[in-house]
Amino acid sequence: MTKPIGFYMNYTPGDGSYLESLQEQYGSTFEGISTREKLFLVSSLASHLCVLEAGETRNEIYKLGVQLQIQLEQSDQRGLLEALVAQIRWGQNHEHE
């Protein structure tokens, strides 16, 4: 079962925030947004956060991105996406030296 979007963010029901208006429009688990649209939002937010993050992306990582798309089954790609988001969110990543 999917948790409400507010579970993952700083949200208090009834606070009149932007998040509250999004939940009213699309549902508390964004059930009013298709999987394709959710993937687009993930891509959009990831691109934006990447630009804000200091540093550069190594060429080998660009190549890895293509290889992951080719080599992994779709379900494994989704699993890897979940793992990467958790690592980014909870600080389990280490900077490349």
Side-chain angles (χ1 to χ4, degrees):
M1 182 170 172
T2 305
K3 291 180 172 71
I5 299 300
F7 172 84
Y8 301 95
M9 303 161 73
N10 185 18
Y11 169 66
T12 305
D15 67 2
S17 66
Y18 180 61
L19 179 59
E20 183 171 65
S21 68
L22 289 176
Q23 287 189 114
E24 287 172 3
Q25 185 170 359
Y26 300 110
S28 66
T29 59
F30 279 12
E31 61 270 18
I33 299 177
S34 72
T35 298
R36 180 184 176 90
E37 292 168 333
K38 288 176 185 178
L39 288 167
F40 171 83
L41 294 176
V42 167
S43 174
S44 175
L45 289 169
S47 292
H48 174 71
L49 291 171
C50 184
V51 169
L52 297 177
E53 193 71 25
E56 298 293 324
T57 303
R58 296 173 281 158
N59 285 334
E60 69 185 86
I61 302 304
Y62 285 106
K63 294 174 185 174
L64 177 59
V66 173
Q67 286 302 307
L68 293 172
Q69 295 171 33
I70 294 168
Q71 299 292 331
L72 295 180
E73 296 291 330
Q74 191 175 34
S75 63
D76 288 336
Q77 290 178 31
R78 290 173 187 231
L80 181 56
L81 178 62
E82 183 178 6
L84 292 171
V85 167
Q87 291 170 12
I88 293 164
R89 175 83 193 260
W90 304 110
Q92 297 171 345
N93 55 320
H94 300 280
E95 295 300 320
H96 175 74
E97 296 183 24

